[in-house]
Amino acid sequence: MNCMNCKAAVDQGLEFCPHCGFDLRVQRKCMSLSNMYYNQGLDKAQIRDLSGAIDMLRRSLKFNKLNIPARNLLGLVYFETGEAVSALSEWIISKNIMPENNIASEYIAKLQAEPAKLDMINQTIKKYNAALKCCRENNEDVAAIQLKKILSQNPKLIKGYHLLALIYIKREEYERARKILKKAARIDKTNSTTLRFLKEVDQQTGTQTSLEPRRFGRRGKAEEKEEKITSDRLAANDVVIQPPTFRESSYMATILNICLGLVLGGLVVWFLIGPGHEQEINRAADEKIIEYSATMANQEAQITELQSQVDALNETSASAQQQLDASSQKNSSYENLLKAVDAYQQGNTSQTSNALMEVDTDQLSVDAKAVYDEIYTNIQDSMFAELKEEGVDAFENAEYTTAVDRLTKAKEINGEDYVVLNRLAHAYRQLGQTDNAIAAFQEIINTFPGTDQATRAANSIEQLGGTPQDPQDTSDDESDTADSDNPDTADESDSGD
């Protein structure tokens, strides 16, 4: 036996692994439980309790995933229920665990030796998915036609029986549903879905469904033989007495008999020949409907496949467009960096600043980022002054969106300038962006605590309906409120700061 923890070979009598100290009693208990569940699954599989067998074998593999007989048997049970893909997966895993002397290799070889059958099973699974989609789209007629074809090709697909029975139950065709569910029960006796659907059918019809096969006993055959002998004896020995012949000589009676015969003949034609002809017409119409429905189903499948191809092409196009946009953005960043370098070499600070503001540093390489940082460090003060001046001019001209853009960039360079913070807060306030305005006023309080600027910012936050964090006690709230409404007054009074 090999240790579960370190894979080292150990003796059967040891309780702990001499190499890693692992408790081998736990391992033996797991292996014992795995073998017990395997035996129970084998017993259930032999009586065609496939659902119970699947449950037991999964438990067995849960305790010991290296239990090769349990995994191979689980694949066989899956294959018996029509789940060829799940069965093949279990056999492949089994073969990978034990490549030699494994019966799973024979199972896989048999499936691979019949590619047509494997392809047919694969097609039935695809058609089942298409039928399920039709049911979700309320096309039960097309789904029923597809499921009948699927079950004729793969008669062990229990899911197909369940879906077809569900369609019949929805149509209130309970006898058809009972017949389909009995076929499913012959494959798996204790399938919970089958039994639940049968219970629903029994409740609707008031008839108990019997899943036991019909048996004809010896007593019944003997009774039939005795009845046959009795009838033969009666036919051979009994004398049949002919009734007396009645003759009518009246002409009126003859005419009456003729009329009665014509009426009876007409009734025979009406009740016997007419319905048969009508049934033939209805049968031909039903065949045409089935043919047209199958054609429509195939066309819908083709349309679905083409739509999936179109979606794949659209995804490819969208991915290419994203790459193109990223490349364009990267090229634009490098072009603006080159413009900034050229303007910086010429001593044009304004053009250098404008070009650097258009550069996306995330798109730059390490060397290019170093060039950007060097230029940015050298003209940082000039950029700040220019951005601050442009932001203040835009604010005074009531261009609040431009003011927010310029003042935000200026704040990224120097976040401790009161004029920038105050004008930015009031620009947000004029744009109606209350949350951003409160956040900007709070930055003033955090940057200049205990000052008049912080007091006015706290009052502005209260006017906007917010609550300043760590507010300072003020005595002249009314006078400060009047000043906080006018950013120009606030700037002039704090120009010395």
Side-chain angles (χ1 to χ4, degrees), residues 88-109:
L88 193 59
S89 300
E90 296 295 336
W91 291 336
I92 290 174
I93 294 173
S94 174
K95 184 178 179 181
N96 290 331
I97 295 174
M98 190 174 74
E100 298 180 357
N101 298 327
N102 193 340
I103 196 172
S105 302
E106 298 181 9
Y107 299 153
I108 297 172

Side-chain angles (χ1 to χ4, degrees), residues 45 47-51 77 79-82 151 154-159 161 180-191 194:
I47 61 173
R48 299 203 67 82
D49 182 5
L50 302 185
S51 299
V77 175
F79 189 80
E80 188 64 20
T81 58
L151 295 176
N154 189 2
K156 295 183 180 180
L157 188 61
I158 293 183
K159 295 189 295 185
Y161 289 109
I180 292 297
L181 292 172
K182 290 177 73 174
K183 289 183 179 179
R186 282 196 285 270
I187 299 174
D188 187 0
K189 288 184 177 181
T190 60
N191 188 279
T194 303

Side-chain angles (χ1 to χ4, degrees), residues 391-460:
V392 172
D393 292 341
F395 181 86
E396 293 176 354
N397 294 328
E399 298 174 356
Y400 300 114
T401 303
T402 305
V404 167
D405 178 65
R406 295 296 185 270
L407 293 173
T408 301
K409 292 180 179 179
K411 190 185 74 169
E412 292 177 356
I413 298 175
N414 184 6
E416 298 181 355
D417 189 280
Y418 173 72
V419 175
V420 171
L421 295 175
N422 188 50
R423 292 299 178 92
L424 179 60
H426 284 284
Y428 280 133
R429 185 175 186 176
Q430 294 295 333
L431 291 173
Q433 301 179 12
T434 305
D435 294 339
N436 292 333
I438 292 174
F441 282 124
Q442 186 62 46
E443 288 188 24
I444 295 175
I445 297 174
N446 298 336
T447 307
F448 306 100
T451 62
D452 293 338
Q453 294 94 326
T455 302
R456 284 191 291 273
N459 292 332
S460 297

Side-chain angles (χ1 to χ4, degrees), residues 128-140 143 163 167 170:
Y128 170 79
N129 293 331
L132 184 61
K133 183 178 180 181
C134 290
C135 290
R136 291 172 179 170
E137 296 174 354
N138 295 325
N139 294 329
E140 288 87 0
L163 185 57
I167 293 172
K170 183 179 180 182

Side-chain angles (χ1 to χ4, degrees), residues 266-283:
L267 293 174
V268 169
V269 172
W270 177 263
F271 287 106
L272 296 181
I273 300 177
H277 184 63
E278 184 179 356
Q279 290 178 359
E280 185 66 26
I281 294 173
N282 293 334
R283 188 181 300 108

Side-chain angles (χ1 to χ4, degrees), residues 162-193:
H162 291 165
L163 185 57
L164 183 58
L166 196 60
I167 293 172
Y168 286 148
I169 292 174
K170 183 179 180 182
R171 294 179 181 175
E172 298 184 357
E173 299 177 4
Y174 299 112
E175 293 303 325
R176 286 189 173 184
R178 193 198 307 274
K179 183 178 179 181
I180 292 297
L181 292 172
K182 290 177 73 174
K183 289 183 179 179
R186 282 196 285 270
I187 299 174
D188 187 0
K189 288 184 177 181
T190 60
N191 188 279
S192 59
T193 304

Side-chain angles (χ1 to χ4, degrees), residues 53 117 120 159 190 223 230 243 251 272 296 299 324 332 360 404-405 425 435 465 487:
K117 183 177 180 180
M120 181 269 294
K159 295 189 295 185
T190 60
E223 291 177 355
T230 304
Y251 291 103
L272 296 181
M296 290 176 61
Q299 291 178 354
L324 182 61
S332 176
D360 185 3
V404 167
D405 178 65
D435 294 339

